[in-house]
Amino acid sequence: MNQQILKDTIMQLFANGKGLLAMDESNGTCNKRFAAAGIPQTIEMRRKYRELIVTTPGLNESIGGAILYDETIRQQTKDGIPMADVLEKAGIIPGIKVDMGAKPMAFFPCEKITEGLDGLRERLAEYKQMGVRFAKWRAVIKICTHIPTSSCIQANTQALSRYAALCQEAGIVPIVEPEVLMAGNHTLQQCYDVTEEVLKALFYQLYQFRINLEGIILKPNMVIAGTENATRNNIDEVARATVNCLLASVPATVPAIAFLSGGQSPKDAAAHLNAINKNYKSHLPWIVSFSFARAIQQPALDLWKGQETNVEEAQKILYRRAKLVAAARLGDYDTGMEKSVHFI
Ligand code: 13P
């Protein structure tokens, strides 16, 4: 019976051209972003910021699901309404990040293994009571000289599969996120090769762990040159490499792919997603959507600056960014919309 619940949840998350909003930054990551924007790094400021997001008018026009962090799902708006209830009331399905972060992998310098499997069955049961219908686990793969190793890829894809099994057992859709990081000076081709290797290893492990592929969402990186590489590929080149890599590695039974933005600018992330959907629509067996954090949130966070008086403007920017990305998800975005006052 769970299988049907999983499929229904996925279809609801991506209905009518919608995508996902990742707002599940750990306290450490959220504090780092607050510090960069000059915002005090306190539990109350994080609560206020998350309230700003979940109460944004019209967010449900482009966002079908929002991924929360453990602290946030236990918090309430200033009116005493749990954040998950606010989302649900707006027609946005609440999700939760359940991994406990990527930790240094012993004996594998510069590589990380994501932790969080211990007690996960019990945590998922508690989250389900709170209204959660999907979850996220992020593995991190770095490209550098001699890495990633096959040990790192295997350990992380196995952990992703064990997590996915526990989610499906609980009737919760697992977002499976093997992120090949943009940080580094690697070429687009190197990113392609590593992403292909990671995805092939992932789907082998998912099969080994008896995961129903029709009940998962894949959250991959786009295939793109490292941030420190001077050669920048154009939008169509990134779209082509990304689509070819996914077609070579991701079974057609997976219903939906939702990209992370990975540190791309909001405009680049939207343009790449748009080109993927526009240029390759007839080739894609999956829904190809978004699960962005920074590429939706960053302009709003920068504008908010932690000031009550900026909340309304920040919400307008957040709403607009989400609309632009949703247009890209259908291949209907163009850069002219960025300036157009008529597009909102
Ligand atoms: P970015 O879109 O900022 O990369 O974040 C997505 C995410 O959820 C990473 O786990």
Side-chain angles (χ1 to χ4, degrees):
M1 197 172 71
N2 271 353
Q3 309 297 352
Q4 196 54 46
I5 293 173
L6 299 175
K7 280 195 214 169
D8 291 348
T9 301
I10 295 170
M11 287 309 127
Q12 236 180 301
L13 286 169
F14 297 105
N16 306 318
K18 294 183 197 185
L20 310 179
L21 171 64
M23 49 179 292
D24 61 333
E25 299 83 2
S26 64
N27 290 347
T29 302
C30 189
N31 286 347
K32 224 185 287 168
R33 296 197 182 141
F34 276 16
I39 300 165
Q41 297 108 64
T42 63
I43 183 169
E44 177 57 11
M45 291 310 271
R46 290 194 296 273
R47 192 202 64 73
K48 281 189 175 168
Y49 178 56
R50 265 66 185 253
E51 175 167 350
L52 178 159
I53 296 177
V54 302
T55 59
T56 292
L59 196 63
N60 59 348
E61 292 166 24
S62 24
I63 302 298
I67 315 168
L68 304 175
Y69 184 59
D70 182 76
E71 177 180 274
T72 314
I73 201 163
R74 299 176 194 285
Q75 285 177 327
Q76 303 177 343
T77 62
K78 62 179 181 326
D79 302 326
I81 305 168
M83 300 281 184
D85 291 2
V86 178
L87 288 169
E88 203 141 32
K89 192 147 179 259
I92 298 174
I93 301 176
I96 187 85
K97 169 215 204 63
V98 297
D99 68 70
M100 306 290 261
K103 307 285 161 60
M105 187 163 152
F107 300 137
F108 288 83
C110 301
E111 296 197 289
K112 292 191 168 168
I113 174 74
T114 300
E115 296 185 348
L117 288 170
D118 290 353
L120 183 55
R121 180 179 270 132
E122 292 73 24
R123 286 196 288 132
L124 287 169
E126 187 195 7
Y127 288 137
K128 195 154 191 210
Q129 293 286 323
M130 294 169 155
V132 157
R133 291 167 57 195
F134 68 105
K136 184 189 103 172
W137 178 291
R138 172 175 176 255
V140 179
I141 306 290
K142 187 170 166 53
I143 304 178
C144 199
T145 320
H146 306 309
I147 65 169
T149 61
S150 56
S151 305
C152 174
I153 293 173
Q154 207 189 322
N156 273 297
T157 52
Q158 194 171 100
L160 275 164
S161 303
R162 289 181 57 196
Y163 140 82
L166 288 165
C167 285
Q168 291 195 338
E169 178 190 76
I172 291 175
V173 173
I175 296 182
V176 175
E177 181 180 10
E179 176 174 3
V180 177
L181 294 175
M182 256 173 82
N185 66 1
H186 49 274
T187 61
L188 174 134
Q189 186 60 46
Q190 284 172 296
C191 180
Y192 184 112
D193 293 342
V194 170
T195 303
E196 181 179 14
E197 186 182 353
V198 168
L199 291 175
K200 285 187 168 158
L202 173 67
F203 283 100
Y204 175 74
Q205 291 291 348
L206 291 170
Y207 171 67
Q208 290 293 315
F209 281 82
R210 304 181 176 174
I211 303 306
N212 169 20
L213 295 187
E214 292 177 62
I216 69 162
I217 297 165
L218 176 69
K219 177 162 173 170
N221 50 285
M222 294 181 192
V223 173
I224 197 164
T227 37
E228 290 146 41
N229 191 305
T231 307
R232 300 318 305 167
N233 302 92
N234 66 37
I235 300 292
D236 286 339
E237 286 169 338
V238 171
R240 188 187 319 126
T242 303
V243 167
N244 286 341
C245 186
L246 293 173
L247 285 173
S249 336
V250 183
T253 41
V254 171
I257 289 176
F259 288 108
L260 57 95
S261 60
Q264 299 177 62
S265 71
K267 284 182 197 166
D268 280 356
H272 288 142
L273 179 64
N274 186 66
I276 289 166
N277 277 302
K278 191 172 173 183
N279 302 351
Y280 299 96
K281 199 164 261 169
S282 59
H283 294 72
L284 304 174
W286 334 271
I287 291 168
V288 177
S289 186
F290 58 90
S291 175
F292 295 163
R294 284 165 287 180
I296 294 178
Q297 290 183 45
Q298 198 61 45
L301 178 65
D302 291 340
L303 199 149
W304 175 53
K305 293 194 187 73
Q307 304 294 325
E308 196 57 42
T309 46
N310 294 336
V311 167
E312 210 180 305
E313 277 309 301
Q315 288 184 325
K316 280 188 192 152
I317 288 237
L318 187 78
Y319 168 81
R320 185 182 169 81
R321 213 54 259 157
K323 287 291 266 190
L324 288 164
V325 179
R329 156 1 182 173
L330 297 174
D332 291 338
Y333 166 91
D334 75 73
T335 48
M337 290 172 171
E338 293 284 349
K339 293 207 181 85
S340 168
V341 286
H342 302 296
F343 176 80
I344 42 170

